[in-house]
């Protein structure tokens, strides 16, 4: 598949606020991204505005505060998706098409049951959640991530194993928790841990380098198949070096660390 043929659905509802950056990020790697309101996928719109999920090659959930984060962050958005196009989303994932959720988007994927998805593509009820940060406040700061995936995740092929990327975080509920016994161990056994928070030197994270207290410093995970990834930090905000926190210190390239995630998935689709 050629880059210019890749169609991306950046789905939004009231309260999402990072759809422009997400669509722009995919555009910067050659894809055609469209910002699509959920009502367009549900058919709750004029006929000419209706969109079908199966027509897209990538599904992306941007950050923000969908539905005001009422009940739980991402819960209302996820419930509306599951009730209206749950089967279509399941089919999309089972077809091997990539899905990305960033920040609120990660919360939505967990609420949908698409992550961690140990036993099925989409769990009937969520078995994990993104809890309030240990600090009890919204954390907006640079974070350093280490790629701990062994190669399963289609979103990280351009990042060396153990490689570090600087990506900003901005969230109040980013602590990944679950009632599943040995949750972290199961993620590791399945090669589902994608990113961990680390210090700038690559060592064990501590606050503020782990901004939320997530166990085992987990910042992002994928499903067992590797085509669905959720992460709390925002790669779409560092597509160029000029938007990085250390932009004035000199860079060997104009590209930002976040771009590697988007070039990775484009290479995956180029082989399909």
């Amino acid at each position: 598949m050629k880059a210019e043929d890749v169609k991306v659905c950046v789905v939004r509802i009231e309260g999402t606020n990072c759809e422009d950056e997400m669509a722009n990020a995919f555009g910067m790697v050659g894809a055609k991204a469209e910002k699509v309101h959920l009502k367009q996928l549900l058919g709750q719109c004029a006929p000419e505005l209706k969109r079908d999920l199966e027509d897209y090659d990538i599904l992306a959930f941007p950050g923000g505060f969908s539905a005001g984060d009422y009940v739980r962050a991402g819960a209302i958005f996820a419930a509306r998706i599951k009730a209206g196009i749950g089967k279509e989303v399941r089919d999309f994932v089972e077809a091997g098409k990539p899905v990305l959720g960033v920040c609120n988007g990660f919360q939505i994927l967990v609420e949908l049951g698409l992550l961690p998805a140990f036993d099925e593509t989409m769990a009937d009820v969520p078995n994990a959640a993104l809890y309030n940060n240990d600090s009890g406040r919204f954390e907006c700061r640079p974070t350093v991530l280490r790629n701990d995936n062994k190669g399963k995740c289609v979103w990280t092929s351009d990042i060396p194993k153990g490689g570090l990327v600087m990506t900003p975080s901005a969230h109040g509920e980013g602590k990944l928790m679950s009632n599943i016994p040995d949750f972290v161990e199961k993620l590791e056994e399945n090669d589902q841990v994608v990113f961990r928070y680390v210090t700038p030197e690559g060592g064990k994270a501590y606050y503020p380098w782990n901004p939320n207290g997530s166990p085992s410093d987990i910042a992002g995970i994928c499903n067992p198949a590797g085509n669905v990834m959720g992460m709390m930090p925002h790669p779409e905000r560092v597509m160029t070096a000029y938007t990085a926190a250390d932009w004035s210190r000199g860079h060997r390239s104009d590209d930002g660390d976040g771009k590697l995630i988007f070039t990775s998935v484009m290479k995956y689709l180029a082989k399909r």
Side-chain angles (χ1 to χ4, degrees):
M1 179 179 291
K2 296 180 180 179
E4 59 268 26
D5 296 327
V6 174
K7 296 179 64 178
V8 185
C9 176
V10 181
V11 64
R12 64 184 181 88
I13 64 169
E14 59 281 358
T16 54
N17 61 20
C18 297
E19 57 267 33
D20 286 346
E21 295 96 324
M22 183 70 80
N24 180 66
F26 281 106
M28 290 180 70
V29 294
K32 294 180 180 178
E34 182 180 9
K35 292 169 283 188
V36 180
H37 197 283
L38 179 60
K39 288 185 177 181
Q40 293 178 265
L41 296 174
L42 297 176
Q44 300 170 357
C45 59
E48 64 271 18
L49 297 177
K50 176 74 169 66
R51 298 290 186 271
D52 293 315
L53 184 59
E54 65 179 14
D55 293 335
Y56 296 92
D57 305 295
I58 298 175
L59 175 61
F61 292 94
F65 304 90
S66 59
D69 278 350
Y70 289 110
V71 185
R72 290 183 308 276
I76 292 177
F77 198 168
R80 289 170 62 182
I81 292 170
K82 214 160 193 177
I85 54 170
K87 182 182 183 302
E88 289 86 344
V89 171
R90 183 190 296 269
D91 291 344
F92 191 95
V93 173
E94 291 180 346
K97 294 184 176 182
V99 180
L100 175 65
V102 172
C103 199
N104 193 220
F106 185 10
Q107 296 161 344
I108 292 163
L109 292 178
V110 171
E111 292 289 339
L112 272 171
L114 289 175
L115 292 175
F118 288 139
D119 301 315
E120 52 188 323
T121 303
M122 181 188 291
D124 291 334
V125 296
N127 45 37
L130 280 304
Y131 283 71
N132 291 335
N133 299 343
D134 279 354
S135 66
R137 61 174 180 261
F138 188 89
E139 297 286 347
C140 183
R141 61 180 68 254
T143 46
V144 181
L145 310 181
R146 184 181 64 221
N147 176 21
D148 278 356
N149 196 253
K150 298 175 183 177
K152 173 182 288 188
C153 183
V154 306
W155 294 91
T156 58
S157 62
D158 274 353
I159 305 173
K161 174 71 170 67
L164 305 184
V165 291
M166 175 75 80
T167 311
S169 288
H171 58 261
E173 299 166 72
K175 183 176 181 178
L176 181 64
M177 301 288 285
S178 175
N179 60 3
I180 298 174
D182 302 319
F183 177 63
V184 173
E185 288 78 4
K186 287 185 178 181
L187 289 173
E188 292 173 338
E189 288 172 6
N190 290 342
D191 191 24
Q192 288 183 249
V193 176
V194 180
F195 291 117
R196 279 188 169 93
Y197 299 108
V198 294
T199 65
E201 297 75 32
K204 168 73 176 171
Y206 49 85
Y207 181 82
W209 295 109
N210 179 338
N212 50 54
S214 187
S216 195
D217 303 316
I218 291 176
I221 64 173
C222 66
N223 66 340
N227 62 317
V228 178
M229 183 179 77
M231 59 186 295
M232 288 310 298
H234 289 266
E236 78 283 4
R237 295 184 182 178
V238 280
M239 294 296 287
T240 72
Y242 306 109
T243 53
D246 59 349
W247 70 271
S248 63
R249 298 180 187 175
H251 291 267
R252 289 175 293 179
S253 168
D254 289 341
D255 291 336
D257 288 352
K259 191 174 183 179
L260 295 170
I261 288 170
F262 297 91
T263 56
S264 294
V265 76
M266 293 298 284
K267 288 181 179 179
Y268 166 76
L269 288 174
K271 300 175 183 177
R272 286 174 62 89

